[in-house]
Amino acid sequence: MAKKLYVGGLPFSTTNDELRDAFAQAGTVATATVVIDKMSGRSRGFGFVEFENDEEAEKAIAMLNGKDFGGRSLTVNEARPMEANRPRRDRDGGGGGGGFGGGGGGGRRDRW
């Protein structure tokens, strides 16, 4: 069964092929994807690597977690399922509408 790993701490210049090559030393890489910001088109500094089997994925974690890659320290662990998208204001558990407070009209209105 395939296992997906989260890889954090990637240099922003890392390509999918470079990520694949780095993890290929641990086993057969099924997919390797650097996550790209939709707005800027730049790397977000993390990605995902999927291995064909659990043993190779565990080997990759042991080999590469905490290792230097392009001058940055990698964080490699088993990927967690993505949470359902929630509005940002609800993520911290707090409420509040943000924005501007309601007003009482303000200013003089006798100058029409």
Side-chain angles (χ1 to χ4, degrees), residues 20-103:
R20 176 186 298 276
D21 292 346
F23 280 78
Q25 58 187 321
T28 305
V29 175
T31 62
T33 307
V34 175
V35 176
I36 303 297
D37 183 87
K38 292 177 187 176
M39 299 299 281
S40 69
R42 294 177 29 130
S43 167
R44 294 188 59 198
F46 71 93
F48 296 95
V49 176
E50 189 171 8
F51 282 90
E52 293 292 334
N53 63 59
D54 292 356
E55 294 80 27
E56 292 174 341
E58 294 300 326
K59 182 178 176 184
I61 293 171
M63 287 176 63
L64 296 166
N65 187 41
K67 297 295 183 197
D68 181 80
F69 183 74
R72 297 188 69 187
S73 179
L74 293 179
T75 299
V76 183
N77 52 44
E78 188 173 343
R80 295 188 298 263
M82 194 167 98
E83 293 181 9
N85 286 339
R86 298 181 292 159
R88 288 194 182 272
R89 67 178 173 265
D90 292 342
R91 290 183 186 174
D92 63 2
F100 297 97

